[in-house]
């Protein structure tokens, strides 16, 4: 009689379909952030086939297409000059547009691709990468020199590697368990070949910088940066917290408060990305900005001079009102206020715009001119 309870209990287990499963350290249900790449099922984003690629077309601002390269098969050739177009880019719904779960790899993986310049068009393309989920929410990361093996991009193939934790996924609300596609938004201008886009385990490395640019020009007494249009500009476009665009002959800038927004800036090279040597002239020149409507709400527009050494100096525009009249204001910043170091001025790369707080401003003209007050 004492065996009856055990027999009944065994029958109950069998009747309920209860089974015991052997658990091992390799069980996918135990995957943590440290080993997510071992179980990630969609590491290939692009390789030869373009079935899941959109945006391969030619229009006024871009020429995107796949081409045959004997040594590599099919690669993507991307050439663009974002001037009159609101948006320039393409997208890849990799893994045949199936939802991708990236939850466990964002801190331990890199977005990797092979990249080179087209022919002799050495350049520094600026690409905003966007992960989009099936709810339409996007997470952004901006490429830069830190992604490269050798800076800048030349005709030699090299490995582009961007840590996935550069995406602002922790603050944007994206559902990383339900990712739809990778979107590439191209800023400014560029001319590159891209191949073998993939996601790999993170790898630490340093960037080797070559002397760039190969040509430097002397500064003139008058240099027009914006007069209703830009030549080489990046950062135009509308995002959740800002809208930077040229409408008519006016640069319209509107921005909101945004912490750690990687795209809350823009810039321009008025010399076609040649270095500009101000060493003998910076004491005699000033940056002049002609502004129309301006509405600052605990915010400001920062003008940033950046050199090819990566050094940069910034000044708040509001501190330099020179004169007002006819519904316009003129702001003038002596170049020597940015820096009095001759080495800094030997190879200026670009004028950058950064933004504080909340505000809007319409800019009609930006130029560097002779400072007659000296």
């Amino acid at each position: 009689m004492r065996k009856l309870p055990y027999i009944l209990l065994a029958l109950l287990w069998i009747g309920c379909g209860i089974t015991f499963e052997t658990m091992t350290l390799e069980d996918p249900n135990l995957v943590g952030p440290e080993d997510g790449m071992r179980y990630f099922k969609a590491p290939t984003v692009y390789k030869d086939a373009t079935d899941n690629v959109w945006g391969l077309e030619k229009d006024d601002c871009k020429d995107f297409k796949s081409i045959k390269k004997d040594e590599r098969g099919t690669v993507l050739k991307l050439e663009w000059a974002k001037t009159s177009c609101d948006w320039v880019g393409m997208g890849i719904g990799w893994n045949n547009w199936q939802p991708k779960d990236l939850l466990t790899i964002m801190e331990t993986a890199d977005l990797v691709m092979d990249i080179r310049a087209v022919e002799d068009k050495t350049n520094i393309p600026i690409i905003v990468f966007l992960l989009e989920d099936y709810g339409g929410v996007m997470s952004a990361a901006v490429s830069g020199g830190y992604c490269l093996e050798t800076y800048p991009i030349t005709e030699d193939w090299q490995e582009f590697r961007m840590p996935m934790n550069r995406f602002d996924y922790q603050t944007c609300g994206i559902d990383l368990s339900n990712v739809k596609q990778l979107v590439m938004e191209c800023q400014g201008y560029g001319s590159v070949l891209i191949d073998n886009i993939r996601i790999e385990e993170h790898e630490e490395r340093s960037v080797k910088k070559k002397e760039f640019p190969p040509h430097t020009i002397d500064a003139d007494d008058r240099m027009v940066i914006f007069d209703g249009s830009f030549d080489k500009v990046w950062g135009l476009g509308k995002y959740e917290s800002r809208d930077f665009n040229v409408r008519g002959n006016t640069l319209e800038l509107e921005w909101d408060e945004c912490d750690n927004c990687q795209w809350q800036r823009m810039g321009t090279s008025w010399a076609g990305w040649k270095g500009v040597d101000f060493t003998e002239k910076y004491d005699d020149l000033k940056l002049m900005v002609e502004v129309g409507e301006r509405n600052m709400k605990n915010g400001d527009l920062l003008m940033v001079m950046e050199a090819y050494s990566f050094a940069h100096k910034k000044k708040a525009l509001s501190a330099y009102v020179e004169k007002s009249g006819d519904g316009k204001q003129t702001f003038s910043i002596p170049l020597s206020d940015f820096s009095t170091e001759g080495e800094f001025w030997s190879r200026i790369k670009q004028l950058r715009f950064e933004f504080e707080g909340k505000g809007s401003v319409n800019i009609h003209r930006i130029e560097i001119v002779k400072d007659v007050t000296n």
Side-chain angles (χ1 to χ4, degrees):
M1 294 294 294
R2 290 181 178 177
K3 294 182 179 179
L4 185 59
Y6 297 99
I7 295 171
L8 290 174
L9 185 57
L11 290 172
L12 181 61
W13 279 346
I14 295 170
C16 292
I18 295 175
T19 59
F20 291 95
E21 204 172 285
T22 303
M23 300 293 285
T24 72
L25 291 177
E26 295 298 314
D27 195 299
N29 294 319
L30 298 180
V31 173
E34 70 281 354
D35 57 4
M37 272 307 298
R38 283 196 295 164
Y39 300 100
F40 184 56
K41 297 180 180 179
T44 301
V45 179
Y46 166 81
K47 181 66 175 176
D48 292 327
T50 59
D51 297 350
N52 300 316
V53 180
W54 59 267
L56 298 183
E57 58 203 16
K58 183 175 182 178
D59 59 29
D60 291 341
C61 299
K62 73 171 184 177
D63 186 3
F64 290 0
K65 56 191 173 186
S66 63
I67 63 171
K68 291 287 186 180
K69 276 289 181 185
D70 293 339
E71 73 278 17
R72 301 187 72 95
T74 302
V75 303
L76 299 176
K77 183 178 182 181
L78 311 180
E79 296 186 288
W80 71 93
K82 187 175 184 289
T83 52
S84 59
C85 301
D86 290 335
W87 194 86
V88 174
M90 56 171 285
I92 308 173
W94 84 101
N95 200 33
N96 201 29
W97 293 97
Q98 295 183 63
K100 276 75 67 176
D101 187 349
L102 277 59
L103 273 171
T104 60
I105 68 169
M106 295 303 288
E107 292 297 323
T108 59
D110 293 339
L111 177 66
V112 188
M113 68 179 75
D114 300 332
I115 191 169
R116 53 155 286 189
V118 174
E119 297 171 352
D120 60 347
K121 298 180 180 177
T122 300
N123 60 96
I124 316 170
I126 297 173
I127 301 175
V128 180
F129 291 90
L130 300 156
L131 290 172
E132 182 183 10
D133 68 20
Y134 267 98
V137 179
M138 289 188 173
S139 176
V142 182
S143 68
Y146 70 92
C147 301
L148 304 174
E149 286 184 283
T150 302
Y151 179 95
I153 295 174
T154 66
E155 290 185 60
D156 296 324
W157 284 101
Q158 64 166 294
E159 187 181 80
F160 172 104
R161 182 175 288 270
M162 183 177 71
M164 296 290 284
N165 61 17
R166 286 277 181 163
F167 286 92
D168 62 346
Y169 69 94
Q170 294 181 330
T171 58
C172 71
I174 189 173
D175 180 1
L176 288 175
S177 69
N178 193 30
V179 172
K180 175 183 178 182
Q181 65 174 331
L182 175 72
V183 176
M184 297 165 58
E185 178 178 342
C186 300
Q187 294 283 339
Y189 81 110
S191 184
V192 296
L193 300 180
I194 290 176
D195 189 28
N196 194 19
I197 307 173
R198 69 254 187 212
I199 297 174
E200 293 182 350
E201 187 173 348
H202 175 65
E203 177 184 307
E204 291 289 345
R205 69 179 187 189
S206 58
V207 178
K208 300 174 184 176
K209 300 178 181 66
K210 292 184 177 180
E211 186 72 8
F212 189 81
H215 303 294
T216 301
I217 63 173
D218 292 331
D220 294 327
D221 287 342
R222 183 171 182 269
M223 290 164 282
V224 177
I225 298 173
F226 173 77
D227 61 353
S229 64
F230 282 114
D231 182 16
K232 301 293 186 294
V233 62
W234 59 268
L236 295 178
K238 186 174 182 179
Y239 295 88
E240 183 178 356
S241 60
R242 56 87 148 179
D243 184 1
F244 305 159
N245 272 297
V246 177
R247 297 183 175 95
N249 293 319
T250 302
L251 173 61
E252 298 182 3
L253 306 173
E254 184 176 1
W255 66 96
D256 206 342
E257 294 184 16
C258 184
D259 295 329
N260 301 317
C261 287
Q262 299 183 59
W263 56 90
Q264 200 85 335
R265 57 178 60 186
M266 59 172 288
T268 180
S269 167
W270 66 93
W273 298 106
K274 296 182 177 69
V276 183
D277 186 357
F278 284 92
T279 307
E280 302 297 326
K281 288 182 176 280
Y282 72 88
D283 266 337
D284 300 320
L285 300 175
K286 65 180 180 179
L287 177 68
M288 189 175 73
V289 184
E290 186 180 272
V291 171
E293 185 178 347
R294 175 172 167 263
N295 186 10
M296 300 294 181
K297 301 173 182 176
N298 299 318
D300 213 334
L301 171 58
L302 306 181
M303 310 303 288
V304 186
M305 280 288 177
E306 182 178 328
Y308 268 103
S309 64
F310 293 101
H312 59 276
K313 313 291 183 180
K314 61 182 71 176
K315 291 295 176 181
L317 188 66
S318 61
Y320 288 90
V321 177
E322 182 178 273
K323 62 182 180 180
S324 298
D326 299 325
K328 295 181 181 179
Q329 290 180 308
T330 300
F331 298 79
S332 294
I333 308 175
L335 294 193
S336 57
D337 279 15
F338 287 99
S339 175
T340 56
E341 301 169 8
E343 184 178 352
F344 170 78
W345 290 108
S346 64
R347 294 193 324 144
I348 294 298
K349 174 183 178 182
Q350 65 175 331
L351 176 68
R352 253 190 13 233
F353 303 71
E354 295 185 4
F355 304 84
E356 291 181 344
K358 181 177 183 178
S360 64
V361 61
N362 291 344
I363 296 177
H364 299 294
R365 190 172 184 83
I366 305 171
E367 58 185 338
I368 293 174
V369 298
K370 190 84 171 176
D371 190 349
V372 296
T373 61
N374 286 348

